[in-house]
């Protein structure tokens, strides 16, 4: 098989090099950096010794801060609670067990560094498929969850939920493959969130956040030989009660087309019944219990029953449902809560949107019908998986802490391993690209960043060559012409074509060495191979259209024939509309999942965005690496295949990393960290007055650290390999005062240092004095020699100037003579040429003038003839127009006469009708007038009688009124006189009082004015101070908000609105189909299902009040008792509930 040329050269060189074994005493050392010789053979021998030849198998070996994990393929007695307690006790003391490389140790060290350094940590678990990444990730999370400090019952539930998330994701995202019985077919990055106050020595776990990448959807509908579908159908068959099999439409997995293609139904080492029970309990911890679980099983079983629906060909070539498959279609409709007719329509028809109109077209029998069916199954299964991920995040990602800066996280990344099959498609391309990005990250942090750090800190170091895969990264990620950009552009073409994609790809990247066009599959160490007899069939079959990529790990051949189809895969709007009409609430929710009101993104666009966020998260952390290795291809706990292990170590870049870490300083600590931790508890003034650098060096002396074990940089102390425990011991005693013996050691060291400084200063003074004397003598000698040189040089310069002047004068005279002769000759030649030119021009002007006169005469003749023709034509047109006008006038007159006669006839008829109507109306008015006169006469008589009675009554009242008015007038005159006298007396008294009051008022106004002036000055001063204080407070609040937003943007990108989506490459494409805003269930129908909807749980958004902060998801659900009365409302686990 083809290999890289460079790799072959390296292998040949290694074969030539003589193998030098390490001493026997170093066999099976826990840290590879302890080896004397670091050739590949030495590394393999040590790892094999620990795996096969020790009394107890040791599958773990450390490479300084990297853990090398060999898959043991058996359960070893090194994962129990006693081992967890051992590492936890060491963690609390600040000193982990030495010589015990273990995943628990990686988790403990990342937790310790998070607490000590107050910075985020990450653990990157990588390796090829079958290397044990999933189990290693579970061990890492198990340790962190089980050792996290818990202050209440709610925290304990959170830790249980973190552990419970794994069985759920494994059931729907893991499957048996050729290399692994429990292979993760998706990538995930889990953030464990901790609340770590500023000076705390431990952190309280808050929850976690899960990000998933690229679920392998094709496995739902197809499995290769000796592989299984995802675990869930097999769990359901063995775990669900047999009496409920008919209810959920469960049959034996061998009878499900989607579950029997790979062959094996049962997997050694996996008990489907136990795993089902574990899954059910885990879902309950996530508040998915009872009927909600049944709904989840309904959706899942409906997907696998859909695979048994087959089609028959109608006369017109379109597909219809096979009668034998009708029972499976009925199962699907019943399980999803929709009509069988709706499912049939969705399987046999498709809606397209053309010019804002929906057009329904039938699906052709054969490949089109099967592809449509499989697309429905894959899309719904993916939505189920994403729904479970969202529910897990909604339960665990609830950061209610006010101080966001106190929240730190430990991220654990478990991604798909590098894959190279005989035929590779888009899934393998994305998987291998992820591994390339992680390999680049590994190379940078373990190799390149180490070397850059040594150079930056002025530490002695001889640079090594760093493996680089930047060319391939640019080939994929280039914003203008990268592979993903070209793929999305090809998908948006009217008729997507893989050949056009290949042409554009190699037009833009013809000069790249990392990619080339090939005509046959299988490159590098490809697994599998062509089927038997494939060579004969391939002669008349379709040609292979693909390209080969030179990855860091191997050469891989990709078949682009399915790239475009897979990149455009999404849930069809017809499917979403069908599921929205379901009677099952959970089916409605899962069917409506996805972006609303926006264009759908392609698969690679979503994947590239996720990888970009992932790398941003990783770069904001201190990383740890766990390299998982598969010891053999037989899944055996006893077989050791050296070639398999060697290939994985080379692909992982571990040999180069080992060289760097062996020769370098993998553990380091800033001077400021040690200074801040110890300076406050030091009382010795000799030490306390030192700067951070001298202070940190003194601490190393106090702890008896050998000078050969560390190197001092400009801002940090660098420790050699296997010396991380020394730093842990020093940091473990932080906050405690130094002992008397340690103070004496430091004092002795300071005295020796001062003596050396004094002797060195004296030697430096003597050396400087000697150099000063030599410098002065040299300056005097230079002065005397300079004067003599100046005199000689001046004479020579004058002679040289005189010689140059004479030569210059002779050249100038000769030049003047030559110029005069040349100018005369040139002027005469120029004059003769001008005379000849004028003669020719005159002749030409005369000829042109004669021709011009001829043209004028011809033009005049033509104008006369044209004018005569125009006049004749104009007279003819006028004559015809006049005749047409006369005819039009005659026609109009005739029509007008007819219209006038018709109008008069109608007016006569109208006049007759009007007269009849007026006569009738006049008769009715006369009758109404007689009745009105009789009524008015009666009213006049009644009014006259009332008027007489009123006049008599008014006369009597007027007399009484006049008498009363007279009496009142006399009384008022008497009162007015008394009031005038009293008013005069009051005015005299008021005048006296005003005079007295005026003098007092003047004095008071003066005092008030002075007081107001003082108060005004005071208020202005206070207002100015308050304004300045408000400005400072607002500026401080603004600064804190900006710092908080920047901290969140750097460390918790999932909490920030995606403001840069529009800056991303344009990777959206229009999905053909009907409008998704079509009405589904009415309000009345939804009210009937209210209990079910409330019990299922609905997504609410908790807003944080920040401008660019994303709202947090909250699943709110209501539980009911047997009488359908609400019992409890909950929005999380633990205390997040209210009882009715």
């Amino acid at each position: 098989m083809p290999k890289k040329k460079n790799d072959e050269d390296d292998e040949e060189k290694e074969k030539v090099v003589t193998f030098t074994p390490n001493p026997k005493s170093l066999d099976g050392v826990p840290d590879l950096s302890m080896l004397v010789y670091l050739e590949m053979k030495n590394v393999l021998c040590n790892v094999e010794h620990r795996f096969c030849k020790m009394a107890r198998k040791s599958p773990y070996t450390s490479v300084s801060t990297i853990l090398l994990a060999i898959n043991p393929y058996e359960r070893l007695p090194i994962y129990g609670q006693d081992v967890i307690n051992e590492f936890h006790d060491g963690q609390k003391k600040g000193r982990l067990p030495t010589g015990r490389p273990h995943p628990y140790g990686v988790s403990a060290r990342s937790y310790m560094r998070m607490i000590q350094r107050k910075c985020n940590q990450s653990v990157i678990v990588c390796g090829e498929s079958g290397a044990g990444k999933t189990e290693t990730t579970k061990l890492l999370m198990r340790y962190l969850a089980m050792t996290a400090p818990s202050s209440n019952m709610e925290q304990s539930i959170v830790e249980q939920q973190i552990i419970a998330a794994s069985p759920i994701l494994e059931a729907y995202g893991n499957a048996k493959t050729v290399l692994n019985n429990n292979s993760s077919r998706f990538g995930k990055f889990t953030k464990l969130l901790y609340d770590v106050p500023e000076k705390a020595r431990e952190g309280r776990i808050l929850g976690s956040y899960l990000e998933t990448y690229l679920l392998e959807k094709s496995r739902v509908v197809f499995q290769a030989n000796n592989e299984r579908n995802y675990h869930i159908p097999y769990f359901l068959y063995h775990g669900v009660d047999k009496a409920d099999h008919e209810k959920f439409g469960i049959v034996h997995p061998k009878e499900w087309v989607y579950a029997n293609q790979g062959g094996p139904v049962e997997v050694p080492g996996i008990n489907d019944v136990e795993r089902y029970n574990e899954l059910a309990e885990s879902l309950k911890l996530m508040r998915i219990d009872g009927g909600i679980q049944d709904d989840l099983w309904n959706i899942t079983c409906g997907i696998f029953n859909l695979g048994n629906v087959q089609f028959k060909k109608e006369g017109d070539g379109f597909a219809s449902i096979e009668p034998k498959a009708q029972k499976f279609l009925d199962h699907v409709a019943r399980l999803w809560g929709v009509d069988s007719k709706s499912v049939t329509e969705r399987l046999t028809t498709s809606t397209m949107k053309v010019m804002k109109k929906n057009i329904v077209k039938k699906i052709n029998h054969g490949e089109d019908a099967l592809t449509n069916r499989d697309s429905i199954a894959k899309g719904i299964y993916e939505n189920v998986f994403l729904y479970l991920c969202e529910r897990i995040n909604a339960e665990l990602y609830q950061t209610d802490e006010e101080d966001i800066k106190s929240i730190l996280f430990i991220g654990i990344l478990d991604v798909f391993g590098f894959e190279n099959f005989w035929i590779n498609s888009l899934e393998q391309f994305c998987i291998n690209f992820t591994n390339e990005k992680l390999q680049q990250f590994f190379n940078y942090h373990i190799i390149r960043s180490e070397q850059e750090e040594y150079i930056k800190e002025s530490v002695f170091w001889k640079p090594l060559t760093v493996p680089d895969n930047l060319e391939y990264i640019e080939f994929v990620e280039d914003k203008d012409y990268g592979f993903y950009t070209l793929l999305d552009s090809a998908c948006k073409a009217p008729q997507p074509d893989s050949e056009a994609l290949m042409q554009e790809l190699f037009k833009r990247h013809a000069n790249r060495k990392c990619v080339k066009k090939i005509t046959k599959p299988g490159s590098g160490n490809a697994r599998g191979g062509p089927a038997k007899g494939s060579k004969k069939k391939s002669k008349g079959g379709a040609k292979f259209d693909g390209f080969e990529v030179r990855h860091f790990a191997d050469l891989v051949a990709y078949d682009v024939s399915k790239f475009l189809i897979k990149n455009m895969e999404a849930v069809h709007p017809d499917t979403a509309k069908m599921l929205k009409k379901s009677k099952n609430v959970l089916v409605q929710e899962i069917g409506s999942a996805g972006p609303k009101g926006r264009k759908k993104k392609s698969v690679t666009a979503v994947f590239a965005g996720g990888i970009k966020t992932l790398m941003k998260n990783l770069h904001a952390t201190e990383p740890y690496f766990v390299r998982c290795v598969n010891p053999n291809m037989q899944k055996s706990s006893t077989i050791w295949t050296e070639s398999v292990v060697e290939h994985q170590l080379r692909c992982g870049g571990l040999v180069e990393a080992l060289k760097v870490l062996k020769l370098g300083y993998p553990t380091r600590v800033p001077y400021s960290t040690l200074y801040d931790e110890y300076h406050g508890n030091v009382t010795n003034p000799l030490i306390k007055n030192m700067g951070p650098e001298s202070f940190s060096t003194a601490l190393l002396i106090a702890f008896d650290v050998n000078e050969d074990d560390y190197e001092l940089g400009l801002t940090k102390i660098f420790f050699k390999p296997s010396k991380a425990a020394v730093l842990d011991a020093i940091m473990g005693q932080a906050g405690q005062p130094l002992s008397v013996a340690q103070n004496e050691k430091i004092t002795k060291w300071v005295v020796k240092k001062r003596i050396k400084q004094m002797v060195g200063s004296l030697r430096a003074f003597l050396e400087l004095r000697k150099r000063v004397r030599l410098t002065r003598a040299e300056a005097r000698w230079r002065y005397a020699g300079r004067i003599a040189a100046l005199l000689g040089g001046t004479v020579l310069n004058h002679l040289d100037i005189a010689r140059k002047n004479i030569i210059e004068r002779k050249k100038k005279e000769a030049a003047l003579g030559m110029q005069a002769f040349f100018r005369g000759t040139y002027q005469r030649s120029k004059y003769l040429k001008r005379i000849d030119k004028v003669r020719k021009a005159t002749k030409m002007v005369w000829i042109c003038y004669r021709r011009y006169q001829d043209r004028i005469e011809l033009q005049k003749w033509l104008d006369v003839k044209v004018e005569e023709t125009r006049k004749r034509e104009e007279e003819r047109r006028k004559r015809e127009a006049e005749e047409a006008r006369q005819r039009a006038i005659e026609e109009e007159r005739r029509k007008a006469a007819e219209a006038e006669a018709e109008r008069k006839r109608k007016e006569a008829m109208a006049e007759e009708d009007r007269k009849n109507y007026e006569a009738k109306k006049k008769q009715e008015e006369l009758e109404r007038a007689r009745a009105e006169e009789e009524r008015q006469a009666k009213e006049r008589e009644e009014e006259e009688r009332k008027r007489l009675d009123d006049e008599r009554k008014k006369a009597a009242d007027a007399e009484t009124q006049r008498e009363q008015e007279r009496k009142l007038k006399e009384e008022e005159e008497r009162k007015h006189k008394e009031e005038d006298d009293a008013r005069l007396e009051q005015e005299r008294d008021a005048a006296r009082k005003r005079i007295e009051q005026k003098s007092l008022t003047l004095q008071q106004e003066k005092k008030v004015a002075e007081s107001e002036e003082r108060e005004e000055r005071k208020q202005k001063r206070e207002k100015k101070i308050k304004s300045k204080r408000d400005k400072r407070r607002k500026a401080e609040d603004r600064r804190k908000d900006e710092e908080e937003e920047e901290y969140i943007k750097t460390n918790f990108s999932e909490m920030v609105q995606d403001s840069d989506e529009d800056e991303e490459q344009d990777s959206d494409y229009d999905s053909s189909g009907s409008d998704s805003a079509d009405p589904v269930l009415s309000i009345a129908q939804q009210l009937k299902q209210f209990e079910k909807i409330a019990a299922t749980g609905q997504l609410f958004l908790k807003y944080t009040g920040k401008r660019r902060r994303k709202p947090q998801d909250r699943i709110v659900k209501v539980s009911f008792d047997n009488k359908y009365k609400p019992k409890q409302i909950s929005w999380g686990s633990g205390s997040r509930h209210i009882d009715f």
Side-chain angles (χ1 to χ4, degrees), residues 876-893:
R876 185 181 61 79
R877 283 199 300 270
K878 287 182 179 180
R879 189 167 54 253
E880 291 176 354
E882 182 64 23
E883 292 175 357
R885 188 175 65 80
Q886 291 297 331
R887 286 195 300 271
I889 291 172
E890 291 293 334
E891 183 67 21
E892 288 178 359
R893 286 176 180 173

Side-chain angles (χ1 to χ4, degrees), residues 771-791:
R771 293 189 179 186
V772 167
R773 288 180 175 180
L774 290 173
T775 304
R776 288 175 178 173
E778 185 180 355
R780 284 195 296 271
W781 173 253
R782 282 200 303 267
Y783 176 75
R786 185 168 59 86
I787 297 298
L790 286 174
L791 291 174

Side-chain angles (χ1 to χ4, degrees), residues 64-83:
S64 188
T65 55
I66 306 169
L67 181 68
L68 190 63
I70 310 295
N71 190 347
Y73 284 117
E74 61 179 330
R75 194 71 179 176
L76 300 175
I78 57 173
Y79 306 112
Q81 187 63 41
D82 56 334
V83 182

